[in-house]
Amino acid sequence: MKPYRTVLFVPAHKASWLDKAADAGADAVCLDLEDSVPEDLKPAAREEVAAGVERMARSHPAMGIFIRVNPLGSPHFGADLEASVAPGVTGIFAPKVNSAVDVLRYDTMLDFFEQKAGVSGLQYIIPVETIHGIQNCEEIAAASPRVGAMIGPTAEHADIAKAVGFEWTPEGLESMVHRTKIMLATKAAGAHPLTALWERIRDLDGLREFSVRGRRMGFRGQVVLHPTHVPVVNRVYTPDSEDIDFYRGLLEAYREAEKRGDGAVMYGDIHVDKAHADKAEEWLARVDDLAGLNGGI
């Protein structure tokens, strides 16, 4: 999966908002058929999804387009998934996944609908938002090559808060343990680790601090609720030019040392060996990957 910095939610029955999402510079959008759509509007929302996806895939081909379906066991699940598998869709945002078996159930249905629609390669973003999901996050992450990203959730009033029973704080210490577990499981599976949303829409300073803490933990992107959050989060997860120069210089210094037959070298005040060079290569590869996102870097 691409290293999306921002995945911006848009209610599926308000697909006209997709233009605002794209204008905000979101790397990816998620059309939501689940919680943000009233029960009586869900059938009509499925129809809006198809039109919205077709339009945005033409106008913003670099932007990821995901659909959050209603969960397994919901009477809406099958119809949601069928409507979501269409040309231009990047993947499925799969809620309430509790185990690897749930992922395989998704796979079975998705294989069928992909073949029917003539598309392939759809991926999952999985928000780990239940107790069983947290306990089984390693097997969930490794259950299918379609698992492209997982989310370590933090939200003050969402499913994870109800499931765990934590008392939310802006610092997020109460969610640190399960978020770390999910982040490590995601990275071990070679997937993209996302942290969850900041619910306080007008508090952009709080959002920035929250995003920086997530980046320092090892997350590489974030789900966002509002277009005003997109530039803040994109900035946090975009490497600074000074850091880019630092890692390029470090890698160059090591390679020159290697040519001389040295296994280590001083780079400024830092001792550099192969482990440092490997990290620099990986870090710079992520910079290259970010350049291909919707808004670039």
Side-chain angles (χ1 to χ4, degrees):
M1 181 171 286
K2 291 182 179 180
Y4 300 117
R5 298 163 298 180
T6 42
V7 181
L8 175 60
F9 264 72
V10 178
H13 63 304
K14 297 184 178 180
S16 61
W17 292 7
L18 278 169
D19 294 303
K20 293 181 180 179
D23 291 344
D27 293 337
V29 294
C30 180
L31 282 157
D32 183 23
L33 287 165
E34 194 197 16
D35 289 344
S36 64
V37 180
E39 189 74 16
D40 61 320
L41 297 181
K42 289 184 185 292
R46 292 186 203 111
E47 296 180 10
E48 287 204 42
V49 161
V53 167
E54 183 180 5
R55 179 166 53 85
M56 297 311 293
R58 285 197 311 267
S59 61
H60 293 80
M63 187 171 69
I65 302 176
F66 293 84
I67 316 294
R68 179 164 77 166
V69 297
N70 282 274
L72 284 163
S74 160
H76 301 289
F77 171 72
D80 283 356
L81 195 61
E82 182 173 22
S84 300
V85 180
V89 173
T90 308
I92 303 299
F93 193 104
K96 312 297 191 299
V97 170
N98 290 309
S99 68
V101 172
D102 286 347
V103 178
L104 298 180
R105 290 168 70 191
Y106 266 99
D107 272 1
T108 300
M109 297 282 284
L110 198 55
D111 287 345
F112 173 77
F113 288 131
E114 277 191 336
Q115 187 174 24
K116 183 178 178 181
V119 300
S120 62
L122 269 64
Q123 296 180 293
Y124 305 131
I125 294 177
I126 297 179
V128 183
E129 53 193 345
T130 69
I131 294 297
H132 292 306
I134 294 170
Q135 292 174 322
N136 299 324
C137 64
E138 291 182 9
E139 68 176 51
I140 290 169
S144 168
R146 292 186 184 272
V147 178
M150 297 213 308
I151 300 173
T154 61
E156 186 174 1
H157 299 107
D159 293 300
I160 189 66
K162 181 178 69 174
V164 177
F166 59 66
E167 295 181 7
W168 182 88
T169 66
E171 295 74 26
L173 293 177
E174 68 285 342
S175 61
M176 185 76 73
V177 171
H178 72 252
R179 279 196 291 155
T180 300
K181 182 177 180 179
I182 294 162
M183 183 267 294
L184 293 174
T186 305
K187 287 193 168 184
H192 181 47
L194 296 166
T195 191
L197 49 83
W198 177 260
E199 289 185 314
R200 302 188 174 195
I201 300 299
R202 296 182 180 87
D203 184 4
L204 299 184
D205 289 336
L207 167 67
R208 185 177 297 103
E209 293 171 5
F210 171 78
S211 301
V212 168
R213 284 192 292 269
R215 187 196 67 208
R216 288 173 176 168
M217 284 179 65
F219 290 102
R220 291 295 175 256
Q222 188 171 320
V223 177
V224 293
L225 280 178
H226 195 271
T228 59
H229 288 193
V230 171
V232 176
V233 176
N234 277 352
R235 179 63 260 163
V236 169
Y237 286 100
T238 299
D240 290 329
S241 58
E242 293 85 355
D243 290 334
I244 295 172
D245 291 342
F246 171 81
Y247 280 111
R248 283 177 176 162
L250 184 153
L251 190 57
E252 182 180 355
Y254 176 77
R255 286 172 174 168
E256 289 298 321
E258 198 174 31
K259 290 177 183 177
R260 298 192 301 268
D262 296 329
V265 66
M266 291 298 293
Y267 178 60
D269 293 332
I270 301 172
H271 166 89
V272 172
D273 58 24
K274 186 176 184 302
H276 299 78
D278 289 345
K279 178 187 175 183
E281 283 189 330
E282 180 179 318
W283 195 93
L284 290 167
R286 183 164 63 91
V287 174
D288 293 338
D289 290 340
L290 288 173
L293 296 176
N294 182 48
I297 58 171

